Amino acid sequence: MNSIDRNRLQSLMQREQQRFVDEHPKSKALFERAGKSLLAGVPMNWMRKWAGSFPPFVREAQGAQLFDVDGNRYIDFSLGDTGAMTGHSPYATVKAVEDQLKRGLTVMLPSEDAIFVAEELQKRFGLPYWQFALTATDANRFSIRLARQITGRPKILVFNWCYHGTVDETFITLHSDGSAGARRGNVGPPVDPSVTTKVVEFNDLPALEKALAAGDVACVLAEPAMTNVGIVHPEPGFHSAMRALTRKTGTVLIIDETHTICAGPGGYTRAGKLEPDFLVFGKPIGGGVPGAAYGFTAEVAKRITHRQNLEDCDVGGIGGTLAGNALSLAAMRATLAKVLTQEVFDRMIPLAERWTAGVEKAIKESGLSWHVTRLGCRAEYLFSLRPPKNGSEAHGAMDFELERFMHLYAMNRGILLTPFHNMALMSPATEKEDVDQHTRIFREAVKELAG
Ligand SMILES: Cc1ncc(COP(=O)(O)O)c(C=O)c1O
């Protein structure tokens, strides 16, 4: 079956919306109350994207489970879009946070935890020097600033349909006529992003070479595999060629591991033997407590230090009063030492393989032209027959209406997928039975779709 009957899809969607409303009366009441004090009834704009007519309001989350105020239980494969990849409230992190709560939360002075975390990150990623931020967005922004400073170049380069957090420069896309401009939905861009940014397709080495040739690009900011438009894997040789091109043109390479940490304890960088100049890691690093880190090579550190100016170091554009705070660092220390360990990945990755195999089989049985991809403990189905080669192909395969149906169908049966695309992440607390339950429900959904 290559095409979906849209009438059938709409009537199934109506049925599912009704079921959702019927089973969430308390969430509905809270949403109505929220509409009087929160814009669109939610604390953060993207929370509107959940597939129900309103989001389920949460009572509590533990491990791989979440309970809403109506008493519905969910297996959580969304895991805070990776922020809770550790499972919700992992014991070791909670214990460290509880201890730190009584010993000062933010002090504007270093503690030994910062050194422990930096040393652990050195071992994992092979980069010697580290700094902290509160979000991966900030860690990306600070890395970009430093890249601009040390190269004296104005532009950055990103891949089409990337996402690196709310970094102004990155909300650019390639239009069908080949020109670059503001990405759809870009809210109030400060300038036309083509002033600050070049954009090429992922896996397109000739385009990358051409874009870097002018010598005006300070840095390439890249996920090692794209994860925010569905998973797009690098083609064999892409990374080594990108590294050679960036080195040849004096361009700094920033690898954003915020999501691709799913590949293992050292992220894709260690698994794929990458050699970035900067590396960014946020979201799950503190087990759900806000925190992020960015690291760089000794050569970069030398170039930064050479330009540092003591008098202005607090107002130079890299900051955050709460960045590097004692609570975040205690959480990061415990999470790295005791939660996101090799043993845990050895458990999570086979679960993602099981998820992939189950969904793949159900797709085959249904005759749908879809496929599944996986990276470490993250798996995702896409509405296209073949894996996409770049962001445009992946974006072209997206289908908002269909996606909402699949998500709502799953949510009504106790499964949460990330609301932005069809991603499932395994946590240390996820069980085989959770995976199989998703497979069963996915199979029912596609059966109903096929009619
Ligand atoms: C690859 C990547 N980098 C950075 C970020 C930004 O993370 P945060 O929203 O925590 O700043 C995201 C968020 O989804 C991301 O996917």
Side-chain angles (χ1 to χ4, degrees):
M1 184 179 81
N2 290 315
S3 61
I4 300 289
D5 177 341
R6 295 285 152 173
N7 290 332
R8 169 187 296 281
L9 177 58
Q10 276 159 20
S11 76
L12 286 172
M13 190 66 182
Q14 263 174 18
R15 185 193 75 194
E16 293 299 317
Q17 281 296 5
Q18 192 54 54
R19 174 168 172 177
F20 181 82
V21 171
D22 292 345
E23 290 177 0
H24 297 81
K26 289 188 182 157
S27 281
K28 183 166 184 282
L30 285 176
F31 184 65
E32 281 161 6
R33 182 175 144 211
K36 298 182 187 126
S37 60
L38 298 169
L39 184 66
V42 285
M44 205 39 228
N45 51 341
W46 39 254
M47 290 187 192
R48 288 170 51 204
K49 235 181 159 181
W50 287 95
S53 323
F54 45 84
F57 279 65
V58 179
R59 192 187 77 209
E60 75 175 276
Q62 270 301 332
Q65 303 184 74
L66 189 147
F67 297 88
D68 70 19
V69 289
D70 288 289
N72 297 299
R73 172 187 176 268
Y74 305 90
I75 302 163
D76 190 1
F77 288 107
S78 144
L79 295 169
D81 194 23
T82 314
M85 187 180 130
T86 52
H88 297 289
S89 297
Y91 175 78
T93 309
V94 169
K95 176 83 182 59
V97 165
E98 275 172 0
D99 289 349
Q100 190 60 44
L101 282 175
K102 296 169 228 135
R103 297 193 291 128
L105 306 181
T106 186
V107 287
M108 276 203 128
L109 282 166
S111 63
E112 196 248 335
D113 283 347
I115 308 172
F116 181 98
V117 174
E119 287 171 350
E120 177 62 26
L121 294 171
Q122 279 177 342
K123 281 185 232 149
R124 287 180 183 229
F125 298 111
L127 290 168
Y129 292 103
W130 291 86
Q131 292 281 275
F132 297 100
L134 277 185
T135 64
T137 298
D138 268 353
N140 278 325
R141 289 198 308 109
F142 300 159
S143 301
I144 291 170
R145 271 189 178 268
L146 290 167
R148 282 201 173 109
Q149 188 193 36
I150 64 178
T151 58
R153 297 177 179 180
K155 298 218 179 203
I156 77 158
L157 184 143
V158 294
F159 292 105
N160 203 24
W161 296 111
C162 67
Y163 185 74
H164 295 282
T166 55
V167 179
D168 282 329
E169 288 96 329
T170 59
F171 291 102
I172 188 165
T173 194
L174 279 173
H175 300 307
S176 50
D177 65 359
S179 65
R183 172 185 174 144
R184 178 179 160 184
N186 185 339
V187 179
V191 291
D192 178 336
S194 63
V195 173
T196 58
T197 310
K198 296 186 183 184
V199 54
V200 300
E201 293 289 3
F202 197 61
N203 282 322
D204 186 346
L205 287 167
L208 180 65
E209 182 166 21
K210 196 162 158 222
L212 298 184
D216 56 351
V217 175
C219 61
V220 169
L221 170 61
E223 282 193 280
M226 297 183 85
T227 64
N228 282 298
V229 63
I231 297 169
V232 182
H233 287 280
E235 289 181 340
F238 176 70
H239 275 291
S240 55
M242 175 159 74
R243 187 60 277 199
L245 285 173
T246 45
R247 283 209 173 110
K248 185 172 140 206
T249 54
T251 312
V252 167
L253 178 60
I254 306 173
I255 290 290
D256 181 352
E257 288 275 9
T258 302
H259 278 179
T260 46
I261 190 66
C262 59
Y268 198 106
T269 292
R270 190 157 97 202
K273 300 194 173 57
L274 307 190
E275 295 175 2
D277 298 304
F278 279 81
L279 185 144
V280 166
F281 177 23
K283 292 202 186 181
I285 191 174
V289 174
Y294 56 108
F296 33 85
T297 61
E299 158 71 12
V300 167
K302 203 157 87 191
R303 291 167 77 188
I304 295 171
T305 317
H306 181 62
R307 289 165 178 83
Q308 257 176 359
N309 171 355
L310 184 60
E311 190 173 348
D312 301 325
C313 70
D314 52 341
V315 286
I318 293 181
T321 310
L322 295 175
N325 73 73
L327 190 71
S328 298
L329 283 162
M332 288 188 221
R333 177 178 186 156
T335 305
L336 291 173
K338 299 190 181 138
V339 187
L340 289 179
T341 59
Q342 181 68 58
E343 289 133 274
V344 155
F345 277 94
D346 290 344
R347 221 184 79 72
M348 297 191 296
I349 293 174
L351 287 173
E353 287 167 351
R354 188 179 181 98
W355 194 96
T356 305
V359 170
E360 211 157 47
K361 188 157 175 273
I363 291 174
K364 262 207 191 106
E365 285 163 12
S366 74
L368 284 167
S369 307
W370 300 359
H371 79 278
V372 199
T373 46
R374 183 184 64 81
L375 178 64
C377 64
R378 168 184 303 260
E380 170 128 20
Y381 54 88
L382 276 88
F383 305 129
S384 66
L385 188 57
R386 267 178 289 282
K389 194 171 121 186
N390 56 40
S392 283
E393 285 185 18
H395 193 261
M398 286 179 122
D399 184 325
F400 190 54
E401 194 183 25
L402 190 52
E403 187 176 294
R404 283 180 82 71
F405 167 71
M406 294 302 292
H407 288 209
L408 186 57
Y409 194 97
M411 186 153 68
N412 278 341
R413 290 155 185 80
I415 301 270
L416 294 182
L417 296 170
T418 195
F420 312 124
H421 35 97
N422 309 314
M423 188 275 282
L425 196 61
M426 309 301 138
S427 79
T430 309
E431 301 286 349
K432 273 187 194 160
E433 293 70 34
D434 299 335
V435 169
D436 295 346
Q437 175 70 354
H438 171 269
T439 305
R440 267 192 296 280
I441 287 164
F442 177 85
R443 183 179 289 114
E444 281 168 28
V446 292
K447 232 189 214 164
E448 284 218 56
L449 261 182

